[in-house]
Short mmCIF file of all heavy atoms in Angstrom, two decimals:
data_model
loop_
_atom_site.label_atom_id
_atom_site.label_comp_id
_atom_site.label_asym_id
_atom_site.label_seq_id
_atom_site.Cartn_x
_atom_site.Cartn_y
_atom_site.Cartn_z
N PHE A 1 121.55 164.06 218.51
CA PHE A 1 120.33 164.81 218.21
C PHE A 1 119.63 164.13 217.05
O PHE A 1 120.21 163.28 216.37
CB PHE A 1 120.63 166.28 217.89
CG PHE A 1 121.36 166.49 216.59
CD1 PHE A 1 120.68 166.94 215.47
CD2 PHE A 1 122.71 166.24 216.49
CE1 PHE A 1 121.34 167.14 214.28
CE2 PHE A 1 123.39 166.43 215.30
CZ PHE A 1 122.70 166.88 214.19
N SER A 2 118.39 164.51 216.83
CA SER A 2 117.59 163.93 215.75
C SER A 2 117.61 164.86 214.55
O SER A 2 117.19 166.01 214.64
CB SER A 2 116.15 163.69 216.20
OG SER A 2 116.08 162.71 217.21
N LEU A 3 118.07 164.35 213.44
CA LEU A 3 118.17 165.15 212.23
C LEU A 3 116.83 165.59 211.69
O LEU A 3 116.76 166.58 210.97
CB LEU A 3 118.92 164.38 211.14
CG LEU A 3 120.42 164.61 211.01
CD1 LEU A 3 120.96 163.80 209.84
CD2 LEU A 3 120.72 166.08 210.82
N ASP A 4 115.78 164.88 212.03
CA ASP A 4 114.46 165.25 211.51
C ASP A 4 114.00 166.60 212.03
O ASP A 4 113.05 167.18 211.47
CB ASP A 4 113.43 164.16 211.81
CG ASP A 4 113.34 163.79 213.27
OD1 ASP A 4 114.39 163.68 213.94
OD2 ASP A 4 112.21 163.57 213.75
N TYR A 5 114.64 167.11 213.06
CA TYR A 5 114.30 168.43 213.59
C TYR A 5 115.22 169.53 213.06
O TYR A 5 115.09 170.69 213.46
CB TYR A 5 114.36 168.43 215.11
CG TYR A 5 113.42 167.44 215.77
CD1 TYR A 5 113.87 166.57 216.75
CD2 TYR A 5 112.07 167.39 215.41
CE1 TYR A 5 113.02 165.67 217.36
CE2 TYR A 5 111.21 166.48 216.01
CZ TYR A 5 111.69 165.63 216.98
OH TYR A 5 110.84 164.73 217.59
N TYR A 6 116.14 169.18 212.19
CA TYR A 6 117.14 170.12 211.72
C TYR A 6 117.23 170.16 210.20
O TYR A 6 117.11 169.13 209.53
CB TYR A 6 118.53 169.74 212.25
CG TYR A 6 118.77 170.15 213.68
CD1 TYR A 6 118.28 169.39 214.73
CD2 TYR A 6 119.50 171.30 213.96
CE1 TYR A 6 118.50 169.77 216.04
CE2 TYR A 6 119.73 171.68 215.27
CZ TYR A 6 119.24 170.91 216.31
OH TYR A 6 119.47 171.28 217.60
N SER A 7 117.45 171.35 209.69
CA SER A 7 117.92 171.47 208.33
C SER A 7 119.35 170.93 208.27
O SER A 7 120.06 170.93 209.27
CB SER A 7 117.90 172.92 207.87
OG SER A 7 116.59 173.46 207.92
N ILE A 8 119.75 170.51 207.09
CA ILE A 8 121.10 169.97 206.95
C ILE A 8 121.69 170.45 205.63
O ILE A 8 121.00 170.50 204.61
CB ILE A 8 121.09 168.42 207.02
CG1 ILE A 8 122.50 167.86 207.11
CG2 ILE A 8 120.32 167.82 205.86
CD1 ILE A 8 123.12 168.04 208.47
N GLY A 9 122.94 170.81 205.68
CA GLY A 9 123.63 171.29 204.49
C GLY A 9 124.84 170.45 204.15
O GLY A 9 125.46 169.84 205.02
N TRP A 10 125.14 170.41 202.87
CA TRP A 10 126.38 169.85 202.38
C TRP A 10 127.23 170.97 201.82
O TRP A 10 126.74 171.79 201.02
CB TRP A 10 126.15 168.80 201.29
CG TRP A 10 125.72 167.45 201.80
CD1 TRP A 10 124.47 166.94 201.83
CD2 TRP A 10 126.59 166.44 202.31
NE1 TRP A 10 124.49 165.67 202.34
CE2 TRP A 10 125.77 165.33 202.65
CE3 TRP A 10 127.97 166.34 202.52
CZ2 TRP A 10 126.29 164.15 203.18
CZ3 TRP A 10 128.48 165.18 203.06
CH2 TRP A 10 127.65 164.10 203.38
N PHE A 11 128.48 171.00 202.22
CA PHE A 11 129.43 171.99 201.77
C PHE A 11 130.64 171.30 201.18
O PHE A 11 130.91 170.14 201.47
CB PHE A 11 129.88 172.89 202.92
CG PHE A 11 128.82 173.83 203.42
CD1 PHE A 11 127.81 173.38 204.25
CD2 PHE A 11 128.84 175.16 203.06
CE1 PHE A 11 126.83 174.22 204.71
CE2 PHE A 11 127.87 176.04 203.52
CZ PHE A 11 126.86 175.57 204.35
N ARG A 12 131.38 172.04 200.39
CA ARG A 12 132.64 171.51 199.90
C ARG A 12 133.68 172.62 199.89
O ARG A 12 133.36 173.80 199.77
CB ARG A 12 132.50 170.90 198.50
CG ARG A 12 132.21 171.90 197.38
CD ARG A 12 131.96 171.16 196.08
NE ARG A 12 131.73 172.06 194.97
CZ ARG A 12 131.34 171.69 193.77
NH1 ARG A 12 131.11 170.40 193.51
NH2 ARG A 12 131.16 172.59 192.80
N GLN A 13 134.92 172.21 200.03
CA GLN A 13 136.02 173.15 199.99
C GLN A 13 137.18 172.54 199.22
O GLN A 13 137.70 171.49 199.60
CB GLN A 13 136.47 173.54 201.39
CG GLN A 13 137.49 174.67 201.39
CD GLN A 13 137.65 175.30 202.76
OE1 GLN A 13 137.39 174.69 203.78
NE2 GLN A 13 138.07 176.56 202.77
N ALA A 14 137.54 173.19 198.14
CA ALA A 14 138.68 172.80 197.34
C ALA A 14 139.88 173.65 197.72
O ALA A 14 139.72 174.76 198.26
CB ALA A 14 138.37 172.95 195.86
N PRO A 15 141.10 173.19 197.45
CA PRO A 15 142.28 173.97 197.80
C PRO A 15 142.25 175.37 197.20
O PRO A 15 141.96 175.53 196.01
CB PRO A 15 143.43 173.15 197.21
CG PRO A 15 142.91 171.75 197.21
CD PRO A 15 141.45 171.87 196.89
N GLY A 16 142.51 176.36 198.03
CA GLY A 16 142.55 177.73 197.57
C GLY A 16 141.20 178.39 197.38
O GLY A 16 141.15 179.54 196.93
N LYS A 17 140.14 177.69 197.69
CA LYS A 17 138.80 178.23 197.51
C LYS A 17 138.05 178.27 198.83
O LYS A 17 138.36 177.52 199.75
CB LYS A 17 138.01 177.40 196.49
CG LYS A 17 138.59 177.40 195.09
CD LYS A 17 137.71 176.62 194.14
CE LYS A 17 138.26 176.65 192.72
NZ LYS A 17 137.39 175.88 191.79
N GLU A 18 137.08 179.15 198.91
CA GLU A 18 136.25 179.23 200.09
C GLU A 18 135.27 178.06 200.12
O GLU A 18 134.91 177.49 199.09
CB GLU A 18 135.48 180.55 200.13
CG GLU A 18 136.35 181.77 200.34
CD GLU A 18 135.54 183.02 200.57
OE1 GLU A 18 134.31 183.00 200.35
OE2 GLU A 18 136.13 184.03 200.98
N ARG A 19 134.88 177.73 201.33
CA ARG A 19 133.87 176.70 201.50
C ARG A 19 132.55 177.19 200.90
O ARG A 19 132.11 178.30 201.17
CB ARG A 19 133.71 176.38 202.98
CG ARG A 19 132.83 175.18 203.27
CD ARG A 19 132.96 174.77 204.74
NE ARG A 19 134.30 174.29 205.03
CZ ARG A 19 134.68 173.79 206.20
NH1 ARG A 19 133.79 173.71 207.20
NH2 ARG A 19 135.92 173.39 206.39
N GLU A 20 131.92 176.36 200.08
CA GLU A 20 130.70 176.75 199.42
C GLU A 20 129.60 175.73 199.70
O GLU A 20 129.85 174.54 199.85
CB GLU A 20 130.89 176.92 197.91
CG GLU A 20 131.34 175.67 197.19
CD GLU A 20 131.59 175.90 195.71
OE1 GLU A 20 131.29 176.99 195.20
OE2 GLU A 20 132.10 174.97 195.05
N ARG A 21 128.38 176.24 199.76
CA ARG A 21 127.25 175.36 199.99
C ARG A 21 126.89 174.63 198.73
O ARG A 21 126.56 175.23 197.71
CB ARG A 21 126.05 176.16 200.51
CG ARG A 21 124.94 175.28 201.09
CD ARG A 21 123.71 176.07 201.47
NE ARG A 21 122.94 176.44 200.29
CZ ARG A 21 121.78 177.06 200.32
NH1 ARG A 21 121.25 177.42 201.49
NH2 ARG A 21 121.14 177.36 199.20
N VAL A 22 126.92 173.32 198.81
CA VAL A 22 126.57 172.48 197.68
C VAL A 22 125.07 172.26 197.63
O VAL A 22 124.44 172.32 196.57
CB VAL A 22 127.30 171.13 197.75
CG1 VAL A 22 126.86 170.21 196.61
CG2 VAL A 22 128.81 171.34 197.72
N SER A 23 124.49 172.00 198.80
CA SER A 23 123.07 171.70 198.87
C SER A 23 122.60 171.89 200.29
O SER A 23 123.39 171.92 201.23
CB SER A 23 122.80 170.26 198.41
OG SER A 23 121.41 169.99 198.36
N CYS A 24 121.31 172.01 200.44
CA CYS A 24 120.70 172.10 201.77
C CYS A 24 119.27 171.59 201.69
O CYS A 24 118.60 171.80 200.68
CB CYS A 24 120.72 173.54 202.28
SG CYS A 24 120.23 173.74 204.01
N MET A 25 118.85 170.94 202.74
CA MET A 25 117.47 170.50 202.88
C MET A 25 116.94 171.04 204.20
O MET A 25 117.52 170.77 205.25
CB MET A 25 117.36 168.98 202.84
CG MET A 25 115.94 168.46 203.09
SD MET A 25 115.81 166.66 202.98
CE MET A 25 115.80 166.45 201.19
N ASP A 26 115.84 171.79 204.15
CA ASP A 26 115.30 172.34 205.37
C ASP A 26 114.30 171.37 206.00
O ASP A 26 114.06 170.28 205.49
CB ASP A 26 114.71 173.73 205.14
CG ASP A 26 113.49 173.76 204.25
OD1 ASP A 26 112.79 172.74 204.10
OD2 ASP A 26 113.21 174.85 203.69
N ILE A 27 113.72 171.79 207.12
CA ILE A 27 112.87 170.88 207.88
C ILE A 27 111.55 170.58 207.19
O ILE A 27 110.86 169.64 207.58
CB ILE A 27 112.62 171.39 209.31
CG1 ILE A 27 111.95 172.77 209.30
CG2 ILE A 27 113.93 171.42 210.09
CD1 ILE A 27 111.53 173.24 210.67
N SER A 28 111.18 171.36 206.19
CA SER A 28 110.01 171.06 205.38
C SER A 28 110.37 170.25 204.14
O SER A 28 109.52 170.00 203.28
CB SER A 28 109.28 172.34 204.97
OG SER A 28 110.04 173.10 204.06
N ASN A 29 111.64 169.86 204.04
CA ASN A 29 112.20 169.08 202.94
C ASN A 29 112.32 169.85 201.64
O ASN A 29 112.48 169.24 200.57
CB ASN A 29 111.42 167.78 202.73
CG ASN A 29 111.63 166.78 203.84
OD1 ASN A 29 112.67 166.77 204.49
ND2 ASN A 29 110.65 165.93 204.07
N SER A 30 112.26 171.17 201.72
CA SER A 30 112.64 171.97 200.56
C SER A 30 114.14 171.82 200.35
O SER A 30 114.90 171.73 201.32
CB SER A 30 112.28 173.43 200.77
OG SER A 30 110.88 173.60 200.84
N THR A 31 114.56 171.82 199.11
CA THR A 31 115.96 171.61 198.79
C THR A 31 116.53 172.78 198.01
O THR A 31 115.81 173.46 197.27
CB THR A 31 116.18 170.31 198.01
OG1 THR A 31 115.38 170.34 196.82
CG2 THR A 31 115.77 169.10 198.84
N TYR A 32 117.83 172.96 198.15
CA TYR A 32 118.55 174.04 197.51
C TYR A 32 119.87 173.48 197.00
O TYR A 32 120.49 172.64 197.65
CB TYR A 32 118.81 175.18 198.50
CG TYR A 32 117.56 175.65 199.21
CD1 TYR A 32 117.13 175.02 200.37
CD2 TYR A 32 116.81 176.70 198.70
CE1 TYR A 32 115.97 175.43 201.01
CE2 TYR A 32 115.65 177.12 199.34
CZ TYR A 32 115.24 176.49 200.49
OH TYR A 32 114.09 176.91 201.12
N TYR A 33 120.29 173.98 195.84
CA TYR A 33 121.50 173.46 195.22
C TYR A 33 122.36 174.58 194.65
O TYR A 33 121.85 175.57 194.11
CB TYR A 33 121.18 172.48 194.09
CG TYR A 33 120.51 171.22 194.55
CD1 TYR A 33 119.13 171.10 194.53
CD2 TYR A 33 121.27 170.15 195.02
CE1 TYR A 33 118.51 169.95 194.97
CE2 TYR A 33 120.65 168.99 195.46
CZ TYR A 33 119.28 168.89 195.43
OH TYR A 33 118.67 167.74 195.86
N LEU A 34 123.65 174.39 194.77
CA LEU A 34 124.59 175.22 194.05
C LEU A 34 124.31 175.07 192.56
O LEU A 34 124.07 173.96 192.07
CB LEU A 34 126.01 174.76 194.38
CG LEU A 34 127.19 175.55 193.84
CD1 LEU A 34 127.26 176.92 194.50
CD2 LEU A 34 128.48 174.77 194.10
N THR A 35 124.31 176.18 191.85
CA THR A 35 123.96 176.16 190.43
C THR A 35 124.75 175.12 189.64
O THR A 35 124.19 174.40 188.80
CB THR A 35 124.17 177.55 189.82
OG1 THR A 35 123.34 178.50 190.49
CG2 THR A 35 123.80 177.54 188.33
N SER A 36 126.02 175.00 189.92
CA SER A 36 126.88 174.11 189.15
C SER A 36 126.61 172.62 189.40
O SER A 36 127.11 171.78 188.65
CB SER A 36 128.35 174.41 189.44
OG SER A 36 128.67 174.21 190.80
N VAL A 37 125.82 172.29 190.42
CA VAL A 37 125.52 170.88 190.68
C VAL A 37 124.07 170.53 190.42
O VAL A 37 123.69 169.35 190.53
CB VAL A 37 125.91 170.47 192.12
CG1 VAL A 37 127.32 170.90 192.45
CG2 VAL A 37 124.92 171.02 193.15
N LYS A 38 123.25 171.50 190.06
CA LYS A 38 121.85 171.23 189.80
C LYS A 38 121.70 170.21 188.68
O LYS A 38 122.34 170.29 187.65
CB LYS A 38 121.11 172.52 189.42
CG LYS A 38 120.86 173.46 190.58
CD LYS A 38 120.10 174.70 190.14
CE LYS A 38 119.83 175.63 191.30
NZ LYS A 38 119.11 176.85 190.88
N GLY A 39 120.83 169.25 188.92
CA GLY A 39 120.61 168.19 187.95
C GLY A 39 121.57 167.04 188.07
O GLY A 39 121.36 165.99 187.45
N ARG A 40 122.63 167.21 188.85
CA ARG A 40 123.62 166.15 189.03
C ARG A 40 123.64 165.60 190.45
O ARG A 40 123.85 164.40 190.65
CB ARG A 40 125.02 166.66 188.67
CG ARG A 40 125.15 167.14 187.23
CD ARG A 40 126.60 167.42 186.87
NE ARG A 40 127.17 168.51 187.67
CZ ARG A 40 128.19 168.39 188.50
NH1 ARG A 40 128.78 167.21 188.66
NH2 ARG A 40 128.65 169.44 189.18
N PHE A 41 123.46 166.47 191.43
CA PHE A 41 123.50 166.06 192.84
C PHE A 41 122.10 166.08 193.42
O PHE A 41 121.26 166.91 193.06
CB PHE A 41 124.37 167.01 193.66
CG PHE A 41 125.84 166.97 193.35
CD1 PHE A 41 126.35 166.23 192.30
CD2 PHE A 41 126.72 167.70 194.13
CE1 PHE A 41 127.70 166.21 192.02
CE2 PHE A 41 128.08 167.69 193.87
CZ PHE A 41 128.57 166.94 192.81
N THR A 42 121.86 165.19 194.37
CA THR A 42 120.57 165.13 195.05
C THR A 42 120.80 164.93 196.54
O THR A 42 121.51 164.01 196.94
CB THR A 42 119.69 163.99 194.52
OG1 THR A 42 119.51 164.13 193.10
CG2 THR A 42 118.33 164.00 195.20
N ILE A 43 120.18 165.77 197.34
CA ILE A 43 120.24 165.62 198.79
C ILE A 43 118.99 164.89 199.26
O ILE A 43 117.89 165.10 198.72
CB ILE A 43 120.39 166.98 199.49
CG1 ILE A 43 120.67 166.80 200.98
CG2 ILE A 43 119.17 167.87 199.26
CD1 ILE A 43 121.05 168.11 201.69
N SER A 44 119.14 164.03 200.22
CA SER A 44 118.01 163.30 200.78
C SER A 44 118.32 162.96 202.22
O SER A 44 119.45 163.09 202.69
CB SER A 44 117.71 162.03 199.97
OG SER A 44 118.80 161.13 200.01
N ARG A 45 117.30 162.53 202.93
CA ARG A 45 117.51 162.13 204.31
C ARG A 45 116.70 160.88 204.64
O ARG A 45 115.66 160.61 204.04
CB ARG A 45 117.16 163.26 205.29
CG ARG A 45 115.68 163.61 205.35
CD ARG A 45 115.41 164.53 206.54
NE ARG A 45 115.76 165.92 206.26
CZ ARG A 45 116.22 166.77 207.17
NH1 ARG A 45 116.41 166.38 208.42
NH2 ARG A 45 116.49 168.01 206.82
N ASP A 46 117.21 160.12 205.58
CA ASP A 46 116.52 158.97 206.13
C ASP A 46 116.47 159.20 207.64
O ASP A 46 117.43 158.93 208.35
CB ASP A 46 117.26 157.68 205.79
CG ASP A 46 116.52 156.44 206.24
OD1 ASP A 46 115.65 156.53 207.14
OD2 ASP A 46 116.80 155.35 205.70
N ASN A 47 115.36 159.73 208.10
CA ASN A 47 115.26 160.10 209.50
C ASN A 47 115.36 158.90 210.43
O ASN A 47 115.87 159.01 211.55
CB ASN A 47 113.95 160.86 209.75
CG ASN A 47 113.95 162.24 209.15
OD1 ASN A 47 115.01 162.84 208.91
ND2 ASN A 47 112.77 162.78 208.90
N ALA A 48 114.86 157.75 209.98
CA ALA A 48 114.94 156.55 210.81
C ALA A 48 116.38 156.16 211.10
O ALA A 48 116.68 155.58 212.14
CB ALA A 48 114.20 155.40 210.14
#
């Protein structure tokens, strides 16, 4: 499938913890970040 038509999320799961959303980019390229990673992590895409 083509990622340019989909939002995409990054998640992480550490031992003994629930899977948590680290970041997400929607189809309008708005981005969202887990509070603890803001300013440190960056989500991006290369549709090509």
Side-chain angles (χ1 to χ4, degrees):
F1 69 103
S2 294
L3 266 182
D4 54 319
Y5 300 131
Y6 281 80
S7 300
I8 190 75
W10 281 100
F11 290 78
R12 68 186 183 188
Q13 188 165 25
K17 297 183 178 180
E18 292 188 348
R19 188 169 294 184
E20 61 183 352
R21 194 185 76 176
V22 176
S23 186
C24 189
M25 176 178 282
D26 66 23
I27 59 173
S28 68
N29 290 332
S30 295
T31 57
Y32 308 86
Y33 294 95
L34 185 68
T35 300
S36 61
V37 310
K38 287 181 179 179
R40 300 189 297 118
F41 292 6
T42 303
I43 189 171
S44 62
R45 68 169 80 213
D46 185 339
N47 289 337

